């Protein structure tokens, strides 16, 4: 065993115990701090249960040393004798060991300096706004040196009683907003040491949240003063150089940011350069007697040019259209152009363009008034439209004063490109030569057209209500009084009855004579009774019957009759599709997407398109009608019927076994024209025979002439107008000549039309929307 090593280890441990007793820190450190408790005690040992040697008032400044993790050691004097004691770390707050010196302003009136870190005994006071210096002490207190009767004394300021100045001041320039704008002796509006007129240009530096610090000269001596932030407006930190035009006559440049003294002026329309300064003023350099001088222009006196001018082309609208030397129509005219001339220019201001013109070979910069030209669209879109009148002119230039190079009849389908807000550009052929021409927009019907009526929507609804509009919105049941139903018999799962009434029988919404009338039944009408057991209600007993189509409520009639309730692009909006306008469809696409499997109508797209052009009817409308009437091209009349006219004027349908069957040409009827319910095939065939519809082409094109007569040719050229007919109401003061009583009929049909239109990539859509007073 190595006894020497054991002895050395024992000696080292013994020394550790001597110099670092258990529970005590290895090295002592001195502190200064603030008493947090009232009172704050010094204990005999490291326990709050031990004897209290001495107590100090809250806020007292104490000195002590480190001891362990929870306690400080302090020396106190009791009866003149020093004694060691202990202070709990929770009872004091240490002062910072690296104090930072601050300058700030007194916020309270007065702002007190206290004897210790407690607002109990003030040793000195300062007025609100006084400039003070102090240093950090604790989390809530600053330490300050004050002089009392000429002697320096340490005091304490609560942090909430002062506001620190910024650590790094920023030098600013600005303008005085008040009249006068005062510089104060301290950060308070109490004592003015200097004043400046409103608009004066001032320099100062940041100080606190509400005050700036400024250096002023009084009787030739430098003095520090303070400006309230609300009394000045700072100039921008980074000025931007601008170009613009003078709006006033004259446009003044002032000596400061106030309309008091003009140092120079310019005529209205002058091109000026200046830089940003404040929210209402620009700064400019002007030359007076050859010397540069700084002046100020009010923002309302100039209009800034655009920062990034765009190159544009436009149409000269005036005759002549002038290019001016300045941005005012009162300036010299540099050059003039005929209306319709295409000009090049750049954006400049809200009302002016800038242009370069050449006079005698020398380039000049001039200005064109915006309303004197019409800018061209930078991106052109291919479109289709209809000629609105006869003749519709194609002009050589985009001006109605220019030469007409071609004309079209009304409703002719035209292809063109967008060009400007009032003009379209088109390629036309004259004597087999290609030309670029222009259509005036008002001469072409495109996309949306609005028709103004002299009646209100409320007036239209009033007249519609008088015409008993119906709907299937309210369910399929209603009630009738049992007293007016006879011969009730079971029929399958329901019962049948017959109306027995003089005049008409009211159908009610619920089993009560006070409920809403949803319809009427005439004497002898058959009704389906859903429950043979009557329901009591009021003075009657009631049968529950099947009754789907009920009288519509006013609010629902108004909802469906109001064009504003239907958004462009939706299926419902197709009720405003102009059925008098061809859709401009490709026949190959129509055959492939609609007619490929439609019986006798297979591959007949060109006939429908030709018919649409000839009679001014939308080809999709024609196809929809034909498909409905012929059962998708499979009906007997669509397949062709051979008919013979007898000597007595009657007609007979021939059968394949009849003599001469093959020698008689078949006739076709695709729209049900003249086909009466009593014998639709015979009556429809007679109509086709008399009209000479001996081929599919003749039947489609010939039938189209009849289709539009009742509604489209009569002006009801949209599904909406077929249903509501506002023209008839406006002219006659009542509802009339309406295709259906269902308030949703036009919407339902519109959905079907959209389904068909969505099949095609290229089509012309023309909508006519009513506008009521």
């Amino acid at each position: 065993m190595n006894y020497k090593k054991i002895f050395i280890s024992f000696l080292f441990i013994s020394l550790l115990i001597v110099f670092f007793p258990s529970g005590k820190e290895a090295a002592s450190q001195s502190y200064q701090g603030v008493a947090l408790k009232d009172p704050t005690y010094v204990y005999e040992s490291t326990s709050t249960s031990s004897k209290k040697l001495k107590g100090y008032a809250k806020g007292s400044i104490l000195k002590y040393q480190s001891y362990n993790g929870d306690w400080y050691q302090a020396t106190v004097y009791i009866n003149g004798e020093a004694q060691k004691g202990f202070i709990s770390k929770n009872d004091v707050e240490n002062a910072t060991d690296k104090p930072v010196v601050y300058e700030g302003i007194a916020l309270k009136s007065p702002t007190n300096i206290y004897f210790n870190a407690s607002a109990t005994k003030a040793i000195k006071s300062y007025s609100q706004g006084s400039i003070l210096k102090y240093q950090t002490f604790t989390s809530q207190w600053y330490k300050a040196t004050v002089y009392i009767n000429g002697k320096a004394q340490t005091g304490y300021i609560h942090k909430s009683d002062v506001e620190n100045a910024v650590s790094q001041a920023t030098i600013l320039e600005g303008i005085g907003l008040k009249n006068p704008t005062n510089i104060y002796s301290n950060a308070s509006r109490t004592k003015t040491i200097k004043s400046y007129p409103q608009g004066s240009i001032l320099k100062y530096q940041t100080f606190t949240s509400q005050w700036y610090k400024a250096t002023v000269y009084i009787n030739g001596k430098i003095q520090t003063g303070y400006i309230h932030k609300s009394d000045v407006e700072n100039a921008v930190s980074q000025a931007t150089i601008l170009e613009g035009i003078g709006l006033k006559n004259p446009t003044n440049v002032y000596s400061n940011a106030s309309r008091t003294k003009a140092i120079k002026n310019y005529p209205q329309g002058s091109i000026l350069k200046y830089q940003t300064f404040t929210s209402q003023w620009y700064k400019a350099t002007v030359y007076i007697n050859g010397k540069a001088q700084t002046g100020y222009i009010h923002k309302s006196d100039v209009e800034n040019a655009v920062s990034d001018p765009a190159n544009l082309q436009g149409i000269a609208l005036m005759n002549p259209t002038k290019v001016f030397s300045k941005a005012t129509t009162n300036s010299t005219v540099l050059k003039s152009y005929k209306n319709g001339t295409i000009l090049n220019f750049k954006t400049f201001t809200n009302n002016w363009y800038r242009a370069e013109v050449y006079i005698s070979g020398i380039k000049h910069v001039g200005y064109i008034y915006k309303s004197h030209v019409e800018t061209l669209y930078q991106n052109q879109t291919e479109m289709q439209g209809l000629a609105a009148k006869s003749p519709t002119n194609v002009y050589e230039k985009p001006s109605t004063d220019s030469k007409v190079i071609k004309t079209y009849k009304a409703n002719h389908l035209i292809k063109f490109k967008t060009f400007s807000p009032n003009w379209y550009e088109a390629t036309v052929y004259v004597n087999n030569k290609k030309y670029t021409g222009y259509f005036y927009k008002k001469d072409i019907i495109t996309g949306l057209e609005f028709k103004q009526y002299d009646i209100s929507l409320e007036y239209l609804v009033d007249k519609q209500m008088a015409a008993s509009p119906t709907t299937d919105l309210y369910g399929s049941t209603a009630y009738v009084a049992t007293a007016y139903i006879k011969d009730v018999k079971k029929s399958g799962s329901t019962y049948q009855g017959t109306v027995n009434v003089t005049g008409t029988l009211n159908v009610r919404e619920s089993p009560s004579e006070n409920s809403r009338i949803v319809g009427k039944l005439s004497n002898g009408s058959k009704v389906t009774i859903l429950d043979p057991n009557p329901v009591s209600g009021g003075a009657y007993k009631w049968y529950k019957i099947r009754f789907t189509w009920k009288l519509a409520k006013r609010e629902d009639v108004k909802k469906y009759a109001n064009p504003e309730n239907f958004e462009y692009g939706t299926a419902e909006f197709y009720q405003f599709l102009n059925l008098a306008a061809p859709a401009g469809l490709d026949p190959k696409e129509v055959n492939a997407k609609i007619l490929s499997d439609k019986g006798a109508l297979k591959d007949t797209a060109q006939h429908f398109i030709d018919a649409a052009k000839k009679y001014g009817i939308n080809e999709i409308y024609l196809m929809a009608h034909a498909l409905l009437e012929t059962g998708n091209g499979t009906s007997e009349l669509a397949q062709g019927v051979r008919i013979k006219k007898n000597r007595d004027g009657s007609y007979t349908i021939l059968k394949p076994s009849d003599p001469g069957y093959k020698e008689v040409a078949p006739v076709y009827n695709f729209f049900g024209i003249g086909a009466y319910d009593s014998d639709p095939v015979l009556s429809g065939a007679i109509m086709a025979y008399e009209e000479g519809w001996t081929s599919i082409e003749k039947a489609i094109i010939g039938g189209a002439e009849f289709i539009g007569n009742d509604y489209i040719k009569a002006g009801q050229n949209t599904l909406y107008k077929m249903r509501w007919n506002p023209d008839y109401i406006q002219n006659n003061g009542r509802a009339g000549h309406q295709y259906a009583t269902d308030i949703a009929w036009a919407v339902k049909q519109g959905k079907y039309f959209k389904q068909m239109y969505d099949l095609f990539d290229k089509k012309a859509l023309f909508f006519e929307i009513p506008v009521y007073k």
Side-chain angles (χ1 to χ4, degrees), residues 377 381-389 392 411-426 439-451 568 573 576-578 580-583 717-718 763-769:
Y377 295 135
T381 303
E382 292 186 358
M383 297 179 66
Q384 293 186 94
L386 298 176
K389 60 183 182 179
T392 293
N411 292 323
H412 186 87
L413 186 63
I414 298 168
K415 294 182 179 181
F416 49 85
K417 292 189 289 187
T418 54
F419 187 68
S420 74
N422 286 298
W423 290 90
Y424 295 121
E425 183 181 64
F439 288 104
Y440 190 48
K441 271 200 173 180
K442 290 184 178 179
D443 294 344
I444 303 294
I445 300 171
T446 60
L448 302 179
E449 186 177 6
F450 297 89
K451 183 173 181 180
Y568 178 78
F573 195 82
F576 305 115
L577 185 72
N578 186 351
N717 58 312
T718 68
K763 65 260 188 178
L765 292 170
F766 306 104
F767 297 96
E768 181 183 300
I769 301 97

Side-chain angles (χ1 to χ4, degrees), residues 395-521:
Y395 297 95
E396 185 179 39
K397 293 181 178 181
S399 169
T400 55
D401 294 331
S402 68
K403 179 183 177 182
V404 176
I405 60 175
K406 192 168 185 175
T407 62
Y408 292 94
K409 292 182 179 180
N411 292 323
H412 186 87
L413 186 63
I414 298 168
K415 294 182 179 181
F416 49 85
K417 292 189 289 187
T418 54
F419 187 68
S420 74
N422 286 298
W423 290 90
Y424 295 121
E425 183 181 64
T427 299
V428 296
Y429 289 85
V430 181
N431 296 326
N432 295 322
K433 288 186 179 181
K434 186 167 73 172
Y435 294 87
T436 297
Y438 302 90
F439 288 104
Y440 190 48
K441 271 200 173 180
K442 290 184 178 179
D443 294 344
I444 303 294
I445 300 171
T446 60
L448 302 179
E449 186 177 6
F450 297 89
K451 183 173 181 180
Q452 183 71 49
Y453 287 92
D454 290 327
I455 58 174
S456 67
L457 178 64
E458 295 295 339
Y459 181 85
L460 178 131
V461 174
D462 287 340
K463 302 308 174 184
Q464 292 293 338
M465 292 302 295
S468 302
T470 64
T471 182
D472 57 356
L473 293 172
Y474 309 141
S476 59
T477 62
Y479 294 86
V480 291
T482 59
Y484 303 104
I485 304 297
K486 68 176 183 178
D487 300 329
V488 177
K489 297 176 182 178
K490 186 172 177 60
S491 176
S493 60
T494 60
Y495 289 77
Q496 296 290 325
T498 304
V499 174
N500 182 26
V501 68
T502 302
T504 57
L505 173 63
N506 290 329
V507 182
R508 301 282 182 174
E509 191 173 46
S510 60
S512 170
E513 63 267 34
N514 296 322
S515 69
R516 189 175 79 92
I517 297 173
V518 296
K520 293 181 180 292
L521 293 171

Side-chain angles (χ1 to χ4, degrees), residues 94-274:
N94 295 339
T96 179
D97 58 347
K98 294 181 180 180
V100 178
V101 177
Y102 286 110
E103 182 179 36
I105 60 173
L107 298 178
K108 299 291 179 68
S109 182
T111 296
N112 294 323
I113 311 296
Y114 297 98
F115 174 75
N116 55 28
S118 173
T120 52
K121 182 182 177 182
I123 60 174
K124 195 163 186 176
S125 297
Y126 292 90
S127 59
Q128 187 179 34
S130 296
I131 309 303
L132 306 177
K133 287 190 177 180
Y134 39 83
Q135 63 184 37
T136 53
F137 186 61
T138 65
S139 62
Q140 297 300 314
W141 291 89
Y142 293 122
K143 181 192 286 187
T145 299
V146 295
Y147 287 84
I148 301 172
N149 298 323
K151 292 183 179 181
Q153 187 170 334
T154 298
Y156 300 90
I157 309 171
H158 197 273
K159 283 193 173 184
S160 65
D161 294 347
V162 290
E163 181 185 356
N164 296 338
V166 295
S167 58
Q168 289 186 331
T170 303
I171 296 174
L172 303 170
E173 184 180 33
I175 61 174
L177 298 178
K178 299 293 178 68
N179 196 16
T181 297
N182 294 324
I183 311 295
Y184 299 97
S185 60
N186 56 30
S188 173
R189 297 182 187 273
T190 51
K191 183 181 177 183
T192 302
I193 59 174
K194 195 162 187 177
S195 297
Y196 294 90
Q198 186 180 36
S200 297
I201 309 303
L202 306 175
K203 288 190 177 180
Y204 39 84
Q205 63 185 40
T206 53
F207 187 61
T208 66
S209 63
Q210 297 300 314
W211 290 89
Y212 294 122
K213 182 190 285 188
T215 299
V216 295
Y217 289 83
I218 301 173
N219 298 324
K221 293 183 179 180
I222 294 176
Q223 190 168 334
T224 298
Y226 301 88
I227 308 171
H228 197 273
K229 283 194 172 183
S230 65
D231 294 348
V232 290
E233 181 185 357
N234 297 337
V236 295
S237 58
Q238 291 185 330
T240 303
I241 296 174
L242 303 170
E243 183 180 31
I245 60 175
L247 298 177
K248 299 292 178 69
N249 196 16
T251 297
N252 293 323
V253 181
Y254 298 95
S255 60
N256 57 29
S258 173
R259 296 182 186 274
T260 50
K261 182 183 176 183
I263 58 175
K264 195 162 186 177
N265 57 55
Y266 295 89
Q268 185 182 38
S270 296
I271 309 304
L272 306 175
K273 288 190 176 181
Y274 39 83

